[in-house]
Amino acid sequence: MAETVVVDFPKNFTRALNDGQLRRNLRAAMDTLGMRRRTLFSDPVAFEQLRARGDAIRQRALRQLPELLERLETKCTANGIQVHWAETPAQANGICLEILRRHKATRVIKGKSMVSEEMHLNHFLEEHGVEALETDLGEYIIQLDHETPSHIIVPAIHKNRDQIARLFHEKIPDTPYTEVVEELNAIARKVLREKFFAGEVGVSGVNFAVAETGTLCLVENEGNGRMCTTAPPVHIAVMGLEKVVERLEDVPPLLRLLTGSATGQLITTYFNMITSPRKQGEKDGPKEVHLILLDNGRSKIWADPELRQTLKCIRCGACMNHCPVYTRLGGHAYGYVYPGPIGSILTPQLEGLDHAGAMATASSFCGACEEVCPVKIPIVDILRRLRVESYNKQDASNAVKGHGYKTNATESLTWKAWALSNAVPWINAVNAKLLGLLGPLLPRLPAWGIVKGWRQSRALPRFAGKSLHALAKESRIRDE
Amino acid sequence: MNSPRDNILARLRAAAPQEATSAREADAPPTPELGRADKIARFNRLMEAMHAEVLLTDSQNWRIALKDLVRKRGLNGLLYAPGTPLGNALEADWDSDLPPLVGYSQEVEQCKERLFAIDAGITSTKGGIADLGALILWPNASEPRLMSLVPAIHIAVLEASRIHDSLAEAMRQERWAEQMPTNALLISGPSKTADIELVLTFGVHGPKELIVLLVED
Ligand code: SF4
């Protein structure tokens, strides 16, 4: 990434936790999404079977990743889709800009795409004099307010209707204040319809790319995705290189898992499968279709068999909907593009532990995310691995970027002492005695160093006068 | 300097050899094979749950049903695909008091304004999917892609015999993988969003209404 983002997690978390409105908005929404998902997958046996299928498909795709990417490229090229590869967001942005320049385009209409968020494409294009307009209703709302998505499926979920009403009233010319959702909808429809009409280039993401046929699959409800990929003369699709699947028949189970896990829908309004640009004689559709394959650290993640499982993700958002941390903080507190459990395992690997390592600590390890994940990503194991790597200074080939950032003398010393006190009985006994005697004094001592941080949000436990060991001895329980 | 493509592929290839192909893959849960009547019933129920309107009719009466509908709504015109079986059937018997039939017969660049102004469009379908409650559309040169997207009302004609049990079955039976068209679509209702407080509202960027003429054949 060009600019180094500095994210102050503790400050963000505190702010989010103290925002009552945000917490109410989120709670209601996450409960609803969770309930809808449960209603759809009401048969646990069938769901487990479907999930096992989804997992197998994603594993097979990843196992053959380099071959499938080449096959996808060959197929797409034969179909007339131009394929580009980008190692970094900067390269991907550059490719987009070059295409726009070639067409002298200054107005881009965008369908929802998390990879384009990862690229900070809108910001980049604006710097280069191109208007990039989000057309998904949620994305449109947050773009008006100069925000980023707080959820990967429902990007404006942190806002309620009053906030959106005020925003529309202030930012869209001649718009009366209304809190009626249908009317807010109609306002957006009217504004955006003109943009669809005039858009010169459409940008979209990709949900699945099928290597067998060279087909790009897009899932959506609003129709804006179809507009962006059909109405303008040029379509640019951006995707993370892990999104490829082997065969067309791999798509139906993944599609069911995606829409069901995301919003509890059997199917979205539209499932859009694009295999080529406009052919000779066809009357609409873009004359040029470009596919940009973005790596941005994914090939490194892929090289490690455990971490690779991160790449099975189909971006359904179920893990955030069910995460006790996410539902209390919302997405913005995480400070990066991907929030919630998937963000907490993906972002530190993409950005480096030294930047985003704190995200891996934003979990209670309750495992709710794993339980709902439609492709069975071992999120907790990966979180644990990242926490371990945060302290691991050794430069192994599979070490996560920015590893070892947390190693410090005080902590290593403390752990050494802890290990010693547990290995040598007499040290342990002395420790227990001392803590029993001095424990009651602790709250009266000024908090310092790491203890201070720890005590800010926690009550100090009271140490018992006698250790369990001592009590057991007194009760004559035999020590074996 | 190597190209990004070479670098990426080289990185992937250099990674530790991958575990051998695992044992047999888990199968998807089976979709029940439904009889004709059940398939139609299921398709209807699911489509209606997503706010599509399904009109059951037959090959004798579908035009009457269509005309009724078009007349009642006072449309400014009906976009259709000349030269297709459906288009020919419409042209053969269209009353003068009805909203005019407007053919999509030029490239979009020549007719964009008219296209964005028309109230309704009618298309054929390639089939339906019972366990999803969705239509399959394969737009082509005569029946272009925007017909089912831009007008506020989309009317789709579906022969009941073309309803499949599942998407997987449709793909297999019709060998999609060998002949994917420029654009293939599944459509399960009018366009919708739940982006504001998860309140479901219909008619965002695509059609506000989807009307399916389900023709018993
Ligand atoms: S990690 Fe699993 S649950 Fe979370 S977004 Fe990805 S696929 Fe969905």
Side-chain angles (χ1 to χ4, degrees):
Chain A
M1 199 173 293
E3 73 266 47
T4 330
V5 204
V6 184
V7 179
D8 185 345
F9 285 94
K11 205 169 113 218
N12 286 355
F13 284 14
T14 314
R15 188 173 336 122
L17 287 174
N18 288 326
D19 186 340
Q21 183 65 60
L22 174 71
R23 291 185 64 172
R24 276 190 299 279
N25 295 355
L26 276 171
R27 180 85 258 174
M30 296 304 112
D31 287 350
T32 309
L33 286 172
M35 194 254 308
R36 287 187 190 157
R37 175 189 164 279
R38 277 193 299 280
T39 313
L40 187 81
F41 294 130
S42 55
D43 177 347
V45 177
F47 175 64
E48 276 313 314
Q49 211 177 340
L50 186 61
R51 218 174 157 221
R53 181 79 200 129
D55 179 24
I57 291 170
R58 290 300 296 140
Q59 280 195 37
R60 166 159 45 79
L62 289 176
R63 207 161 43 228
Q64 318 171 66
L65 187 61
E67 293 78 41
L68 290 189
L69 286 171
E70 280 187 304
R71 207 180 306 163
L72 178 70
E73 180 186 41
T74 310
K75 262 290 167 190
C76 283
T77 311
N79 297 341
I81 296 177
Q82 300 175 43
V83 181
H84 312 262
W85 303 63
E87 286 184 85
T88 61
Q91 282 175 4
N93 285 332
I95 295 166
C96 280
L97 187 64
E98 203 200 297
I99 299 169
L100 295 174
R101 291 255 156 93
R102 192 149 23 89
H103 291 274
K104 302 194 173 50
T106 54
R107 283 179 314 232
V108 168
I109 49 175
K110 275 190 68 203
K112 200 173 145 26
S113 149
M114 288 309 294
V115 167
S116 75
E117 298 285 345
E118 194 179 321
M119 291 156 56
H120 301 286
L121 177 64
N122 294 355
H123 182 72
F124 171 83
L125 290 181
E126 262 148 45
E127 276 181 346
H128 290 83
V130 177
E131 176 197 69
L133 188 82
E134 295 289 348
T135 61
D136 169 86
L137 180 60
E139 294 275 353
Y140 173 69
I141 291 169
I142 56 173
Q143 191 181 35
L144 270 184
D145 215 5
H146 304 288
E147 285 187 313
T148 51
S150 68
H151 189 286
I152 64 173
I153 299 290
V154 274
I157 201 63
H158 55 287
K159 285 193 180 326
N160 64 14
R161 67 183 82 187
D162 319 0
Q163 292 165 319
I164 296 165
R166 220 170 314 128
L167 183 69
F168 278 19
H169 177 57
E170 282 164 17
K171 297 278 172 77
I172 308 172
D174 306 321
T175 303
Y177 182 91
T178 170
E179 287 175 15
V180 181
V181 174
E182 284 76 12
E183 288 172 14
L184 290 168
N185 230 328
I187 294 167
R189 177 178 169 110
K190 194 163 150 271
V191 174
L192 290 172
R193 212 162 155 90
E194 284 162 28
K195 302 287 182 178
F196 289 133
F197 184 81
E200 296 164 317
V201 171
V203 171
S204 78
V206 174
N207 291 102
F208 317 112
V210 184
E212 177 185 27
T213 56
T215 301
L216 312 178
C217 303
L218 277 90
V219 175
E220 60 145 344
N221 281 313
E222 295 184 5
N224 68 309
R226 283 184 66 198
M227 286 282 191
C228 292
T229 57
T230 317
V234 181
H235 168 207
I236 305 174
V238 290
M239 73 175 234
L241 53 73
E242 81 281 20
K243 283 284 165 77
V244 65
V245 296
E246 186 183 359
R247 299 189 285 254
L248 193 63
E249 66 180 50
D250 290 337
V251 168
L254 291 179
L255 176 62
R256 169 70 60 90
L257 284 167
L258 174 58
T259 63
S261 305
T263 49
Q265 284 179 281
L266 202 48
I267 175 108
T268 43
T269 306
Y270 302 115
F271 186 55
N272 186 1
M273 291 163 268
I274 298 166
T275 307
S276 82
R278 186 190 309 188
K279 293 195 190 102
Q280 191 69 38
E282 290 177 345
K283 299 191 184 72
D284 58 19
K287 291 179 173 161
E288 261 180 43
V289 178
H290 298 266
L291 173 65
I292 302 178
L293 300 168
L294 176 65
D295 182 347
N296 193 25
R298 288 164 171 83
S299 55
K300 171 135 186 8
I301 298 176
W302 186 82
D304 183 285
E306 182 180 33
L307 299 176
R308 169 185 304 175
Q309 308 220 45
T310 314
L311 301 177
K312 288 194 293 187
C313 177
I314 55 172
R315 302 280 190 272
C316 72
C319 54
M320 25 199 107
N321 303 344
H322 293 80
C323 175
V325 177
Y326 178 90
T327 51
R328 282 163 181 82
L329 296 177
H332 288 152
Y334 291 81
Y336 286 94
V337 171
Y338 302 101
I342 179 59
S344 298
I345 57 171
L346 180 62
T347 312
Q349 299 186 64
L350 296 181
E351 304 286 334
L353 282 163
D354 44 352
H355 287 106
M359 283 178 88
T361 67
S363 166
S364 63
F365 282 180
C366 75
C369 47
E370 263 185 45
E371 225 169 275
V372 294
C373 177
V375 288
K376 303 217 246 186
I377 299 176
I379 298 173
V380 175
D381 285 346
I382 298 176
L383 282 170
R384 201 176 284 121
R385 164 82 182 275
L386 293 175
R387 290 189 189 182
V388 170
E389 294 252 352
S390 304
Y391 289 95
N392 178 12
K393 271 229 175 287
Q394 274 160 21
D395 272 314
S397 69
N398 64 348
V400 177
K401 189 163 136 193
H403 64 100
Y405 81 104
K406 266 190 157 179
T407 336
N408 67 63
T410 326
E411 272 201 59
S412 334
L413 207 69
T414 313
W415 284 115
K416 279 209 182 103
W418 184 83
L420 198 69
S421 109
N422 280 289
V424 184
W426 71 264
I427 301 186
N428 193 309
V430 170
N431 258 345
K433 264 256 158 54
L434 277 177
L435 281 173
L437 284 173
L438 301 179
L441 297 176
L442 280 179
R444 282 184 236 156
L445 298 176
W448 50 269
I450 35 173
V451 179
K452 187 172 170 192
W454 194 86
R455 273 180 58 181
Q456 247 163 22
S457 52
R458 295 174 184 86
L460 203 64
R462 196 143 358 110
F463 288 95
K466 288 176 181 165
S467 70
L468 179 64
H469 197 145
L471 288 171
K473 236 185 187 155
E474 276 177 22
S475 319
R476 291 166 202 271
I477 296 170
R478 275 179 44 205
D479 188 6
E480 281 169 39
Chain B
M1 208 179 83
N2 284 333
S3 71
R5 177 185 188 279
D6 295 343
N7 290 341
I8 292 170
L9 286 172
R11 259 198 306 279
L12 292 174
R13 294 244 151 79
Q18 299 316 313
E19 69 281 27
T21 314
S22 68
R24 225 182 71 85
E25 283 182 10
D27 287 322
T31 21
E33 271 179 44
L34 300 176
R36 187 186 154 93
D38 288 339
K39 249 196 300 209
I40 295 176
R42 175 140 199 202
F43 173 86
N44 282 358
R45 182 168 58 76
L46 291 176
M47 292 254 13
E48 280 172 354
M50 281 301 112
H51 290 222
E53 194 180 324
V54 183
L55 299 175
L56 274 172
T57 173
D58 56 42
S59 45
Q60 301 296 310
N61 294 304
W62 68 273
R63 257 183 304 202
I64 301 171
L66 172 67
K67 287 176 184 173
D68 248 20
L69 189 133
V70 172
R71 204 174 269 127
K72 256 198 304 223
R73 278 164 216 255
L75 307 173
N76 68 1
L78 183 64
L79 186 68
Y80 82 115
T84 60
L86 174 62
N88 294 340
L90 292 174
E91 279 169 10
D93 173 29
W94 199 249
D95 310 330
S96 56
D97 66 320
L98 288 166
L101 288 174
V102 181
Y104 194 153
S105 37
Q106 287 169 300
E107 284 200 299
V108 60
E109 287 75 14
Q110 272 88 56
C111 63
K112 210 169 186 178
E113 247 161 83
R114 246 177 310 145
L115 203 64
F116 271 72
I118 199 157
D119 286 340
I122 184 166
T123 71
S124 65
T125 59
K126 185 178 171 64
I129 300 170
D131 83 332
L132 296 177
L135 300 167
I136 305 168
L137 267 75
W138 281 28
N140 57 29
S142 347
E143 204 176 70
R145 295 162 70 171
L146 289 171
M147 289 184 74
S148 61
L149 181 65
V150 171
I153 302 174
H154 174 206
I155 303 169
V157 182
L158 170 65
E159 290 83 22
S161 60
R162 293 179 178 235
I163 301 179
H164 298 269
D165 282 321
S166 65
L167 174 58
E169 190 223 67
M171 284 177 167
R172 222 173 13 242
Q173 226 177 50
E174 295 176 345
R175 298 176 176 276
W176 287 23
E178 292 161 29
Q179 40 159 346
M180 283 300 275
T182 302
N183 181 216
L185 291 161
L186 304 185
I187 301 180
S188 71
S191 113
K192 62 177 179 280
T193 183
D195 273 351
I196 302 179
E197 290 187 15
L198 295 180
V199 177
L200 196 58
T201 37
F202 288 86
V204 209
H205 304 308
K208 297 177 179 179
E209 283 181 67
L210 172 64
I211 302 165
V212 181
L213 291 174
L214 184 55
V215 184
E216 286 272 13
D217 52 348

